[in-house]
Amino acid sequence: MEWLRQAACVGEDPELFFPVGTTGPALDDIEAAKRVCARCPVLRECLHWALGSGQTSGVWGGMCEAERTALLRTAGSVEAARHEAWARHGATRHEAMSRH
């Protein structure tokens, strides 16, 4: 996990990435964590690791647990989920960069 040293979340409060619940203030924390992920240079590596290691809680690679679970369910396998997630994040980053 050498990539972790370069993560945008280094120095952030870890509790931000592990909100308690899925309603109310937890939704604000999830969105705040995703904003940190959106500027992360190792977002793909983080999501790749989370999907492959079966992380069931927290925000990893810009996705909350419900999003990762849904992705794994629809993709059918970890490798397919990684491919789909990378395609999504690549498009998102390209769109953001082209606006500037």
Side-chain angles (χ1 to χ4, degrees):
M1 289 183 29
E2 185 70 26
W3 54 266
L4 189 55
R5 293 181 188 174
Q6 300 171 23
C9 60
V10 172
E12 296 283 341
D13 183 354
E15 290 186 23
L16 178 65
F17 297 89
F18 295 94
V20 177
T22 56
T23 61
L27 291 176
D28 295 335
D29 288 347
I30 290 168
E31 290 307 311
K34 287 181 177 183
R35 284 192 297 275
V36 173
C37 294
R39 61 180 169 80
C40 186
V42 293
L43 181 140
R44 288 183 176 188
E45 291 86 343
C46 180
L47 184 56
H48 178 96
W49 181 83
L51 291 168
S53 63
Q55 295 302 306
T56 58
S57 62
V59 175
W60 293 90
M63 297 181 90
C64 68
E65 54 234 40
E67 292 168 324
R68 289 192 311 278
T69 299
L71 178 63
L72 286 165
R73 188 179 325 109
T74 59
S77 72
V78 169
E79 285 305 314
R82 286 174 173 163
H83 179 74
E84 186 174 330
W86 289 359
R88 286 183 194 176
H89 283 296
T92 301
R93 285 187 168 216
H94 177 72
E95 290 165 6
M97 290 175 72
S98 65
R99 281 185 243 152
H100 288 95

